[in-house]
């Protein structure tokens, strides 16, 4: 019997929804919210009823019967660090989403909305592989400064989805493979997947690793300390320089690799040099994760929006292809990844995790 699911992926100014039958997308919509609409609410959780109503209104407009759904899935939010998997939206998980135990973020609404709509029609609700997935082995947490442990913040949903996709295509369990997964989007994360667990990963938000279209990645710490105490910037301004205005934004005034490619094709030598530096930094991250896995790597997987860039992929193959074979899954389909996570539980392939 097929499984029909409603997928909810809230962003800061939009709510993406999709309805699937098994892995087949029946329809999707991006519901956009104006600044004025969002500004009415004091906190993210206060937006719940507003967002819920527009989802229900859309389904009604499409003459879709919500009682035909077997499961509702929301994007996971800023919970406590947890192992990867599909989690039932329990009372404890729901409470932590509402509080925002690791911060207020629109993704916190995913599980909240899923639970409310699911409860109203008597079906289960889940979240899948939130950004706070943490499977680091103990030795991966050491940074050299006890007060600053290395943390696991990365594109867990897409990394896990493409790793499991590769395993399925090979006809082997994800838990039997050693993989290096490279996600390249607005941020870059490179993870070592050792037999089903991401045992080491470069912090994709505000930590280490390669620079990306919007983020600085790892920077010289001594120079950073001097910059922080120069008196020229507030804490907020410093953070913005590294997260949002860093990387390609800082060097090329764009966060779109397609713009960078146009610069390169137009003969911009500096843009070509910056692109090559990016490729080399990502390749260095791959090499680092190869050491984590002691050289026993079944496959390197490249994914994310920048994986559409043939020049970048070719550069990574040239620099890191000697480590292991490379498979490319361009883009990221978060709605499908969420649907697949729930489907694995509904079909008995995996057990739902308990938060």
């Amino acid at each position: 019997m097929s499984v029909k699911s409603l997928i909810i992926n809230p962003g800061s100014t939009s709510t993406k929804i999709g309805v699937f039958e098994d892995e087949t997308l029946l329809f999707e919509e991006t519901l956009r919210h104006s600044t004025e609409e969002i500004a009415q609410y004091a906190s993210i959780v206060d937006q719940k009823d507003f967002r819920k109503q527009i989802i229900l209104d859309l389904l009604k407009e499409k003459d879709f019967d919500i009682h035909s759904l077997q499961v509702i899935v929301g994007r996971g939010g800023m919970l406590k660090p947890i192992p990867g998997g599909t989690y039932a939206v329990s009372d404890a998980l729901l409470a932590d989403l509402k509080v925002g135990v690791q911060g207020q973020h629109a993704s916190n609404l995913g599980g909240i909305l899923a639970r409310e709509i699911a409860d109203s029609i008597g079906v289960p609700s889940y979240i899948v592989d939130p950004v706070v997935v943490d499977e680091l082995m103990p030795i991966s947490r050491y940074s050299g400064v006890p007060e600053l442990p290395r943390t696991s913040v990365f594109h867990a949903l897409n990394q896990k989805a493409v790793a499991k996709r590769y395993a399925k295509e090979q006809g082997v369990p994800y838990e039997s493979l050693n993989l290096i997964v490279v996600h390249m989007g607005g941020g870059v994360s490179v993870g070592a997947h050792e037999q089903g667990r991401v045992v080491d990963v470069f912090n994709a938000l505000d930590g280490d690793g390669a620079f990306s279209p919007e983020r600085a990645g790892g920077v010289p710490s001594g120079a950073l300390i001097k910059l922080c105490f120069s008196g020229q910037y507030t804490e907020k301004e410093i953070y913005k320089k590294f997260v949002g205005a860093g990387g390609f934004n800082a060097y090329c005034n764009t966060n779109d690799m397609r713009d960078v490619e146009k610069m390169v094709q137009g003969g911009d030598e500096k843009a070509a040099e910056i692109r090559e530096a990016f490729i080399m930094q990502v390749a260095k991250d791959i090499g680092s994760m190869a050491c984590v896995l002691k050289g026993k790597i079944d496959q390197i997987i490249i994914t994310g929006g920048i994986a559409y860039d043939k020049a970048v992929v070719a550069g990574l193959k040239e620099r890191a292809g000697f480590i292991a074979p490379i498979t490319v899954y361009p883009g990221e389909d978060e709605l499908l990844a969420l649907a697949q996570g729930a489907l694995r539980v509904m079909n008995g392939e995996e057990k739902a995790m308990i938060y």
Side-chain angles (χ1 to χ4, degrees):
M1 181 180 169
S2 61
V3 174
K4 199 174 283 186
S5 59
L6 169 64
I7 313 302
I8 304 170
N9 186 359
S12 56
T13 59
S14 68
T15 305
K16 292 182 182 178
I17 70 160
V19 172
F20 286 80
E21 187 158 357
D22 290 338
E23 295 186 23
T24 301
L25 178 66
L26 301 182
F27 64 87
E28 68 175 304
E29 291 283 344
T30 299
L31 304 164
R32 303 197 182 279
H33 319 307
S34 69
T35 304
E36 292 75 22
E37 285 176 315
I38 295 298
Q40 297 177 53
Y41 303 99
S43 69
I44 285 170
V45 74
D46 289 340
Q47 300 170 22
K48 170 181 66 70
D49 292 337
F50 158 69
R51 297 214 196 201
K52 177 183 171 184
Q53 193 57 52
I54 62 172
I55 292 170
L56 295 176
D57 287 346
L58 174 77
L59 295 174
K60 187 175 181 181
E61 182 184 311
K62 288 188 170 291
D63 199 25
F64 180 80
D65 179 12
I66 65 169
H67 293 89
S68 67
L69 295 164
Q70 280 84 44
V71 63
I72 318 287
V73 191
R75 179 72 189 269
M78 301 298 286
L79 297 158
K80 297 168 187 171
I82 52 176
T86 297
Y87 285 78
V89 185
S90 63
D91 290 345
L93 189 147
L94 187 65
D96 278 0
L97 286 176
K98 288 179 177 179
V99 171
V101 289
Q102 286 207 77
Q104 291 294 331
H105 191 274
S107 61
N108 293 0
L109 287 167
I112 297 170
L113 292 167
R115 171 71 183 266
E116 284 212 1
I117 296 173
D119 282 358
S120 73
I121 59 173
V123 300
S125 55
Y126 297 106
I127 64 163
V128 183
D129 289 327
V131 294
V132 294
V133 164
D134 185 344
E135 300 169 337
L136 298 186
M137 55 185 171
I139 58 174
S140 296
R141 301 185 189 278
Y142 288 86
S143 70
V145 179
E147 295 91 342
L148 303 174
R150 294 185 66 244
T151 57
S152 178
V153 180
F154 70 112
H155 306 89
L157 182 63
N158 195 43
Q159 281 216 21
K160 289 275 190 177
V162 295
K164 290 176 181 178
R165 173 181 170 183
Y166 174 78
K168 189 174 184 179
E169 289 176 0
Q170 301 306 307
V172 297
Y174 167 53
E175 293 76 15
S176 72
L177 296 171
N178 282 359
L179 306 168
I180 297 172
V181 182
V182 181
H183 176 105
M184 299 184 296
V188 170
S189 61
V190 181
H193 296 235
E194 184 175 43
Q195 298 179 349
R197 296 179 65 81
V198 184
V199 296
D200 203 347
V201 68
F202 288 100
N203 181 331
L205 179 60
D206 56 4
D208 39 21
F211 69 83
S212 74
E214 297 182 345
R215 296 163 200 172
V219 298
S221 55
L224 172 59
I225 291 166
K226 289 177 182 176
L227 192 68
C228 290
F229 287 91
S230 66
Q232 297 179 55
Y233 307 99
T234 64
E235 180 183 344
K236 189 175 181 180
E237 288 168 340
I238 287 280
Y239 192 77
K240 184 68 175 176
K241 283 179 75 70
F242 289 83
V243 181
F248 282 102
N249 254 341
Y251 290 122
C252 302
N253 296 311
T254 180
N255 64 353
D256 191 330
M257 278 301 289
R258 291 170 295 188
D259 293 339
V260 177
E261 283 303 321
K262 287 175 186 173
M263 294 178 195
V264 175
Q265 295 303 321
D268 188 326
E269 293 182 5
K270 190 66 176 177
E273 184 174 89
I274 293 162
R275 184 185 68 180
E276 189 58 34
F278 168 74
I279 292 168
M280 187 174 75
Q281 287 198 10
V282 176
K284 286 164 70 175
D285 290 355
I286 293 170
S288 295
M289 293 305 164
C291 293
V292 171
L293 296 171
K294 301 176 182 177
K296 297 173 183 175
I297 302 120
D298 294 294
Q299 201 78 7
I300 297 167
I301 299 172
I302 298 174
T303 185
I306 298 176
Y308 283 112
D309 190 314
K310 293 179 181 177
V312 171
V313 170
L316 289 174
K317 286 182 175 179
E318 182 181 10
R319 288 188 177 274
F322 71 93
I323 295 172
I326 294 176
T327 295
V328 183
Y329 295 129
E332 58 178 308
D333 192 338
E334 293 179 335
L335 294 179
L336 177 59
L338 291 165
Q340 289 170 330
L343 194 58
R344 287 190 294 269
V345 169
M346 299 292 284
N347 288 340
E349 295 173 38
E350 292 180 11
K351 286 187 175 181
M353 304 284 282
I354 303 300
Y355 181 70

